[in-house]
Amino acid sequence: MEHHLTVARTARYQQLGKLSTQTRHVWFVCHGYGQLAAYFIRHFAFLVEADPSTVIIAPEGLSRFYLSGNGGRMGASWMTRDDRLHEINDHIGFLNQLAERVLAECPPYVQVTVLGFSQGTATVSRWLTQARFRPAHLVLWAGSFPDDIDATVAQSLLHALKLTIVIGSDDEYITLTQAEQQFQYLEQFAALTHLVTFPGKHELNRAILKKLAVSEQ
């Protein structure tokens, strides 16, 4: 018989910028499958350099593994299909605890942007349905909002929420047609949805990140 035991473990996250009473913008950014937060967060460094009142927080998936064989480069994952519900709950607990720590050091009017990339889109979506705060902006980049989230729960989160879907024109995993279908699906929940495309593959894009940051100001 299979059993489960809840245990304490150490989670890891990366931070750019210093939290203080001067902080105006906080971004929580969740990487994709096989990435590490230390490398993923580098894509956002220019936002902090341009605006010292911005802080970037990049949590890392709790499951790490070798990307090839038994050594070499490492990656992290948010979940797999095996024991997925427990992994989802573990990550929601981690992200809630992290957000509580971060936001406690910010003024109450701080604007929070939550961005998920690839596999991270499902993670942030599920997290926000149980988060203890409401973001100013949700960005789903090269991924999608999980269709197994209850419609009532989705409605509660997404109604009147600024939501941006970002997709590269040559993304290897998601077509523009699929992104447009996702846009239409999320519109039914009355989210303030925008679809943004750029010439590129399954990757982040500096110009689009800059535009997203400017739209927050």
Side-chain angles (χ1 to χ4, degrees):
M1 296 179 63
E2 181 174 270
H3 300 275
H4 292 86
L5 176 67
T6 300
V7 299
R9 63 163 299 170
T10 301
R12 183 163 69 176
Y13 70 96
Q14 302 289 328
Q15 178 176 324
L16 291 174
K18 184 177 181 180
L19 294 165
S20 73
T21 56
Q22 304 304 310
T23 302
R24 297 293 180 270
H25 306 277
V26 170
W27 289 50
F28 290 97
V29 297
C30 288
H31 62 78
Y33 178 81
Q35 297 179 311
L36 293 177
Y39 298 100
F40 185 67
I41 200 171
R42 294 178 183 178
H43 294 282
F44 303 86
F46 76 98
L47 298 179
V48 178
E49 293 168 0
D51 179 11
S53 71
T54 294
V55 174
I56 310 294
I57 305 292
E60 186 169 274
L62 295 174
S63 300
R64 299 187 195 96
F65 56 94
Y66 294 114
L67 294 177
S68 179
N70 298 316
R73 292 179 57 206
M74 298 289 297
S77 171
W78 294 103
M79 57 163 280
T80 64
R81 65 175 178 269
D82 187 49
D83 208 17
R84 64 189 294 273
L85 294 181
H86 283 101
E87 286 201 331
I88 289 171
N89 288 332
D90 286 346
H91 280 109
I92 289 174
F94 161 36
L95 294 171
N96 274 336
Q97 187 174 342
L98 174 59
E100 183 176 2
R101 169 186 286 193
V102 169
L103 297 180
E105 298 186 47
C106 300
Y109 49 80
V110 68
Q111 278 201 318
V112 179
T113 295
V114 176
L115 180 149
F117 173 75
S118 192
Q119 188 194 42
T121 61
T123 295
V124 298
S125 299
R126 292 190 173 100
W127 167 39
L128 291 177
T129 65
Q130 299 184 45
R132 303 178 186 122
F133 71 96
R134 182 175 173 82
H137 191 184
L138 171 60
V139 182
L140 303 180
W141 194 307
S144 59
F145 189 87
D147 57 12
D148 59 355
I149 292 179
D150 181 81
T152 302
V153 175
Q155 175 75 27
S156 178
L157 168 64
L158 297 174
H159 181 78
L161 177 66
K162 182 180 179 182
L163 191 157
T164 302
I165 299 169
V166 185
I167 184 74
S169 58
D170 299 312
D171 194 299
E172 306 96 304
Y173 302 101
I174 301 175
T175 66
L176 183 56
T177 297
Q178 289 173 315
E180 291 170 342
Q181 291 171 345
Q182 179 74 181
F183 175 87
Q184 295 169 2
Y185 170 71
L186 295 173
E187 273 198 317
Q188 71 176 307
F189 300 111
L192 305 179
T193 313
H194 305 274
L195 176 61
V196 177
T197 63
F198 64 93
K201 297 185 177 182
H202 195 71
E203 59 194 357
L204 292 173
N205 177 279
R206 180 174 175 138
I208 300 300
L209 286 173
K210 184 177 180 180
K211 287 181 180 179
L212 294 175
V214 169
S215 72
E216 303 289 314
Q217 298 174 357

